[in-house]
C-alpha cells in the first residue's frame, strides 16, 4: 500500500488537522485546511486555547436553546471570564430549525460588525448555517459539536433550503472542530442513531461511486475510499459500544463523521460521502418542508435510504453490466437493528405514496450518478417502485 495512505489510515483523528499528502491515485496533493481537530474527554475546555488568536475583535457565539444548555453556556462563560468581547445569540425555537433563508437572515441580523470569530455550538443546522455565514463573510468559525449525529462537521459545502428546494451552497472548512466526548456520549440516542445511519450510508455511496467510475469513467480517489471504508469498519466493529455510549466507540463514530467531510474536501465534491441513500433522504426532507411539517433526522433517513438502495442493487443485480459490491439489504438492516435504529420508511413517517414517488423521482435533478440513475436508464423504475412499495407497505 501507498506509504502516505498507510500513515493516514493509522492516524488519530486529531492528526488529520493540517495534514497534506501526495495522492498516488489522484496524482495530486490533498490537504486538510483545518487548524485543529480535538475529539476527547473535556475537549470543551480547550476552546480558549483554540480561540487564542482571535482577541483582536468580537466573537459571535451561536447556539440553540438545547445546545446552549448542553454546553453553549459553558463555552460562553469560559470565553467571557477570559476577557473576550463576546456576543451570544441563542435560537429559541420549539421546532426544528430550518436550514434556509430565514435562519441565515437571522444570523446576519445578529452578528456584529467587527466580528473576527464565529463559535458555533451544536450539530446539523447550527453548524451548516454558521459555516455559510463564515464562508460569505470571510470570518473563521469553530464548531463545538454537541452530538455525533451527522457528517457535516468538516464538510466544505452547505446543504440549504432555498425557495423550498435543497440546494448545495458553498462553504469553508471550520478553523477548528471540538468534540467533547463527555458531551457527545450524552446526546439523545436518536441523534446517535442518526450519526451511525449517516456513516452506514457510505456503504451505498462508495458503491455508487464505484459503479459510476466503471460505467462512466468518473474520477475516483482510492485514498478517499480507503479512509472512508476504514472509518466505516471501525464504526461497524464498535456498534455495541455505540449503543452503550462507550467513549471509544463514540470517538470512532465522531471520527468517521468528521472524516466524511474531510474526504469530501480532499476529493472536491460529496462523492465519498453521498449517493442514492442521500437522494432519498433529501427527497423526503423536501416533501416534509413543502408541507410545513417536521421530518426525521437526516442520518436516520440516510440509514433507511441505504436499506432501500441495497434492495435496488439486489433487484437489478443481473442487469448491472459491471462488477460492484453493494451490501446486502440484510446486512444493512441487521446493523441498524443492532443499534435499535429505524430500518424502514414507514417508521420514519414516510407515507406509501411518498415512498413510491421517491423511488422513481429521488434521483431527478441530481447529477451524481447512482444505482437509481442506472435503473432509470434501464427503464425499471416503475417496476422497482411497485415491488418495493409492496415489500415495505404490505
Ligand atoms: Zn486522491
Ligand atoms: Zn449525510
Amino acid at each position: 500500500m501507498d506509504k502516505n495512505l498507510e500513515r493516514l489510515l493509522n492516524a488519530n483523528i486529531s492528526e488529520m488537522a493540517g495534514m497534506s499528502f501526495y495522492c498516488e491515485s489522484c496524482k495530486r496533493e490533498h490537504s486538510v485546511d483545518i487548524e485543529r481537530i480535538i475529539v476527547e474527554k473535556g475537549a470543551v475546555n480547550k476552546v480558549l486555547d483554540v480561540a487564542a488568536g482571535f482577541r483582536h475583535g468580537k466573537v459571535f457565539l451561536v447556539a440553540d436553546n438545547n445546545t446552549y444548555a448542553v454546553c453553549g453556556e459553558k463555552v460562553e462563560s469560559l470565553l467571557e471570564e477570559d476577557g473576550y468581547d463576546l456576543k451570544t445569540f441563542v435560537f429559541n425555537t420549539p421546532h426544528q430549525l430550518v436550514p434556509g433563508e430565514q435562519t441565515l437572515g437571522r444570523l446576519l441580523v445578529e452578528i456584529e460588525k467587527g466580528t473576527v470569530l464565529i463559535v458555533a455550538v451544536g450539530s446539523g443546522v447550527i453548524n451548516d448555517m454558521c459555516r455559510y455565514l463564515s464562508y460569505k463573510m470571510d470570518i473563521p468559525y469553530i464548531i463545538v459539536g454537541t452530538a455525533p449525529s451527522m457528517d457535516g462537521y468538516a464538510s466544505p459545502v452547505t446543504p440549504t433550503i432555498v425557495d423550498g428546494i435543497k440546494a448545495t451552497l458553498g462553504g469553508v472548512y471550520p478553523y477548528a472542530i471540538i468534540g467533547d466526548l463527555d458531551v457527545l456520549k450524552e446526546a439523545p440516542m436518536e441523534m446517535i442513531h442518526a450519526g451511525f445511519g449517516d456513516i452506514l450510508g457510505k456503504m451505498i455511496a462508495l458503491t455508487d461511486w464505484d459503479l459510476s467510475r466503471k460505467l462512466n469513467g468518473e474520477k475516483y480517489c482510492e485514498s478517499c475510499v480507503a479512509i472512508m471504508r476504514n472509518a466505516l469498519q471501525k464504526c461497524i466493529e464498535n456498534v455495541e459500544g455505540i449503543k452503550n455510549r462507550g467513549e471509544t466507540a463514540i470517538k470512532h463514530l465522531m471520527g468517521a463523521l468528521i472524516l466524511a467531510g474531510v474526504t469530501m474536501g480532499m476529493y472536491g465534491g460529496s462523492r465519498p460521502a453521498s449517493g442514492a441513500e442521500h437522494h432519498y433522504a433529501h427527497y423526503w426532507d423536501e416533501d416534509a418542508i413543502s408541507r410545513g411539517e417536521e421530518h426525521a433526522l437526516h442520518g436516520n433517513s440516510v440509514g433507511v435510504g441505504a436499506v432501500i438502495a441495497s434492495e435496488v442493487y439486489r433487484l437489478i443485480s443481473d442487469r448491472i453490466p459491471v462488477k460492484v459490491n453493494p451490501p446486502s439489504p440484510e446486512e444493512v438492516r441487521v446493523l441498524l437493528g443492532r443499534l435499535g435504529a429505524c430500518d424502514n420508511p414507514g417508521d420514519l413517517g414516510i407515507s406509501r405514496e411518498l415512498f413510491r414517488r421517491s423511488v422513481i423521482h429521488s434521483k431527478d435533478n441530481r447529477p451524481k450518478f447512482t444505482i437509481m440513475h442506472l435503473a432509470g436508464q434501464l427503464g425499471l423504475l416503475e417496476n422497482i417502485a411497485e415491488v418495493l412499495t409492496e415489500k415495505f407497505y404490505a
Side-chain angles (χ1 to χ4, degrees):
M1 191 195 285
D2 175 359
K3 270 268 170 296
N4 287 328
L5 183 55
E6 200 176 327
R7 183 171 53 84
L8 276 183
L9 294 181
N10 292 317
N12 189 292
I13 186 68
S14 61
E15 294 166 337
M16 296 299 283
M19 166 290 285
S20 157
F21 76 105
Y22 182 77
C23 175
E24 291 291 344
S25 174
C26 296
K27 305 285 181 228
R28 64 182 165 133
E29 197 81 10
H30 288 315
S31 52
V32 182
D33 299 322
I34 302 175
E35 201 66 29
R36 301 278 295 276
I37 300 176
I38 307 171
V39 181
E40 60 191 36
K41 269 177 83 68
V44 73
N45 295 302
K46 299 212 167 154
V47 71
L48 294 178
D49 184 23
V50 173
F54 299 94
R55 286 191 178 276
H56 56 292
K58 294 188 164 87
V59 176
F60 182 43
L61 188 153
V62 181
D64 66 26
N65 32 5
N66 291 319
T67 65
Y68 184 74
V70 163
C71 95
E73 195 173 3
K74 169 91 189 266
V75 174
E76 180 185 49
S77 64
L78 282 169
L79 289 167
E80 245 164 18
E81 282 163 23
D82 209 44
Y84 280 87
D85 183 0
L86 186 69
K87 150 101 187 234
T88 298
F89 175 66
V90 180
F91 280 102
N92 195 349
T93 163
H95 303 294
Q96 270 176 350
L97 203 54
V98 176
E101 297 98 327
Q102 199 175 352
T103 308
L104 281 172
R106 189 64 203 268
L107 289 176
L108 206 52
V109 169
E110 298 295 337
I111 193 168
E112 288 179 6
K113 285 171 85 78
T115 297
V116 294
L117 179 69
I118 299 164
V119 179
V121 182
S123 58
V125 180
I126 295 268
N127 179 52
D128 284 339
M129 296 297 92
C130 287
R131 176 195 312 110
Y132 194 66
L133 189 69
S134 162
Y135 166 69
K136 270 296 175 78
M137 299 194 69
D138 264 328
I139 300 170
Y141 88 106
I142 295 171
I143 172 68
V144 182
T146 50
S149 59
M150 50 90 229
D151 67 9
Y153 286 118
S155 171
V157 294
T158 310
T160 310
I161 312 283
V162 181
D163 275 344
I165 306 280
K166 276 228 170 184
T168 303
L169 304 185
V172 283
Y173 273 145
Y175 175 79
I177 301 171
I178 297 176
D180 190 329
L181 292 174
D182 294 327
V183 173
L184 297 174
K185 73 183 168 68
E186 296 306 329
M189 194 35 87
E190 191 193 10
M191 298 186 88
I192 295 175
H193 288 175
F196 187 69
D198 215 1
I199 290 304
L200 272 197
K202 306 326 174 213
M203 290 173 132
I204 297 297
L206 296 176
T207 310
D208 280 340
W209 191 5
D210 190 31
L211 178 73
S212 184
R213 150 172 90 144
K214 287 169 177 163
L215 285 179
N216 311 322
E218 188 176 326
K219 184 166 71 120
Y220 194 78
C221 170
E222 305 275 4
S223 305
C224 290
V225 172
I227 291 170
M228 225 39 257
R229 283 217 181 277
N230 190 46
L232 169 67
Q233 194 52 38
K234 281 185 188 153
C235 290
I236 290 174
E237 283 164 11
N238 283 279
V239 63
E240 288 303 319
I242 293 172
K243 184 179 177 179
N244 297 322
R245 303 175 179 275
E247 263 160 34
T248 309
I250 295 293
K251 183 170 182 176
H252 282 308
L253 178 58
M254 186 65 173
L257 291 165
I258 293 172
L259 284 174
V262 164
T263 54
M264 282 195 268
M266 280 168 51
Y267 176 71
S270 61
R271 251 310 177 193
S274 129
E277 77 298 333
H278 270 75
H279 292 168
Y280 277 100
H282 296 327
Y283 192 88
W284 299 331
D285 283 6
E286 282 169 16
D287 184 86
I289 288 163
S290 74
R291 288 181 285 108
E293 286 177 14
E294 299 206 350
H295 52 75
L297 285 173
H298 168 76
N300 289 327
S301 299
V302 170
V304 172
V307 174
I308 295 160
S310 63
E311 292 278 6
V312 177
Y313 267 106
R314 171 175 290 169
L315 277 174
I316 67 169
S317 58
D318 53 1
R319 302 286 304 273
I320 302 174
V322 292
K323 174 135 183 51
V324 286
N325 293 304
S328 73
E330 292 75 23
E331 187 182 356
V332 184
R333 218 176 270 127
V334 163
L335 286 167
L336 290 169
R338 281 178 68 190
L339 207 58
C342 180
D343 69 355
N344 75 85
D347 288 353
L348 281 181
I350 310 296
S351 72
R352 184 187 171 100
E353 166 51 25
L354 171 59
F355 175 73
R356 205 193 64 81
R357 216 167 1 107
S358 67
V359 174
I360 298 169
H361 293 297
S362 61
K363 65 167 191 355
D364 295 357
N365 304 318
R366 306 196 204 271
K368 203 188 303 157
F369 188 91
T370 70
I371 188 65
M372 300 316 298
H373 292 77
L374 177 62
Q377 287 174 0
L378 293 168
L380 298 171
L381 285 174
E382 294 281 345
N383 193 264
I384 292 170
E386 194 81 9
V387 172
L388 291 184
T389 307
E390 278 312 309
K391 180 172 181 116
F392 286 108
Y393 293 85

